[in-house]
Amino acid sequence: SSEVANVALKGVGTVITEMVMDAEESLSLAMNVEVLTDGANALSTVTAEGQEFASQAALYEGQFWINLPEQGWIQFSLEDLPAMIGAPANFTLDLNALQQLGEDILAAADVAVTGEEVINGVQTYRVDVDLTNAPLFDAVFSLFGEAPFEGLEMGMSVDKYLISNWIDAEGVTHKMTMDMVMSMTFAEEGQDPITMVSKMFGEFVFEPLTEAIAWPEAILNPAPAEPAE
């Protein structure tokens, strides 16, 4: 298996997403991603090409942090995530079920070593993880329980989902690509269904981290929590 944790690495990549609505309207977006990790801690920055958009998140000493435009760095737990992203009130997130979901999906994947490549002077082996036939969305819908949006029927299918990792003999990932094509159908009661096809391709390269991560002061010395009223 690939291991990035416990190794000081810098990962840089781009994710390009193209969405086509009913075979007519299209939207393309390129996201640049930088991830710094010094072991169990990680700091990520995401920017959108051609737009004034930046998002930062961190995992530091077992705690999750996110940098919000008006609030700055705030600490949160995964249980708080649905409310933070504005999910409907009936949306719930079961962390145990989420962990089981990940294990079930990986168990259904087809894994194969498909090649070799020297990257930055290091011999690596390409490992392809094909998740095309994994029950991704069946598992996701069962995780949510009830549909999160009342009156909206949703259908999803995966036409392609391939993750490739170039891993050295120590199990360290030097490059990773992701190639995914999926279709989503939305139908409101009394309305014609709308189909959206999403194509996503991402490529990331990893190299040793040569400088210490500049952790934000708000993470290193968080302000005391305000007492509950």
Side-chain angles (χ1 to χ4, degrees), residues 52-65:
E52 294 184 3
F53 169 86
S55 173
Q56 284 187 301
L59 173 63
Y60 188 77
E61 295 186 351
Q63 301 296 322
F64 290 97
W65 294 79

Side-chain angles (χ1 to χ4, degrees), residues 129-130 132 158-164 177-181 199-202:
V129 180
D130 192 342
T132 303
V158 177
D159 303 307
K160 182 180 183 181
Y161 192 4
L162 180 66
I163 298 175
S164 299
T177 62
M178 175 187 64
D179 191 359
M180 184 176 186
V181 180
K199 300 178 181 179
M200 183 181 299
F201 181 81

Side-chain angles (χ1 to χ4, degrees), residues 18-136:
E18 180 184 4
M19 292 176 285
V20 179
M21 189 80 70
D22 282 342
E24 295 180 359
E25 301 179 14
S26 64
L27 173 66
S28 182
L29 180 64
M31 308 289 285
N32 298 315
V33 183
E34 179 187 78
V35 179
L36 308 176
T37 174
D38 59 8
N41 304 316
L43 176 66
S44 68
T45 303
V46 179
T47 58
E49 291 187 2
Q51 300 186 36
E52 294 184 3
F53 169 86
S55 173
Q56 284 187 301
L59 173 63
Y60 188 77
E61 295 186 351
Q63 301 296 322
F64 290 97
W65 294 79
I66 188 170
N67 191 6
L68 299 178
E70 297 181 359
Q71 298 172 265
W73 285 97
I74 63 170
Q75 186 177 329
F76 73 98
S77 67
L78 289 181
E79 291 93 336
D80 299 329
L81 187 57
M84 293 181 63
I85 62 176
N90 64 330
F91 181 99
T92 59
L93 187 61
D94 186 328
L95 297 185
N96 291 328
L98 185 62
Q99 180 179 0
Q100 185 62 50
L101 168 63
E103 294 175 357
D104 291 344
I105 290 174
L106 290 177
D110 294 323
V111 182
V113 178
T114 60
E116 301 180 14
E117 184 179 345
V118 177
I119 300 177
N120 295 329
V122 179
Q123 177 68 52
T124 68
Y125 303 88
R126 174 175 172 168
V127 179
D128 288 343
V129 180
D130 192 342
L131 293 162
T132 303
N133 297 317
L136 293 173

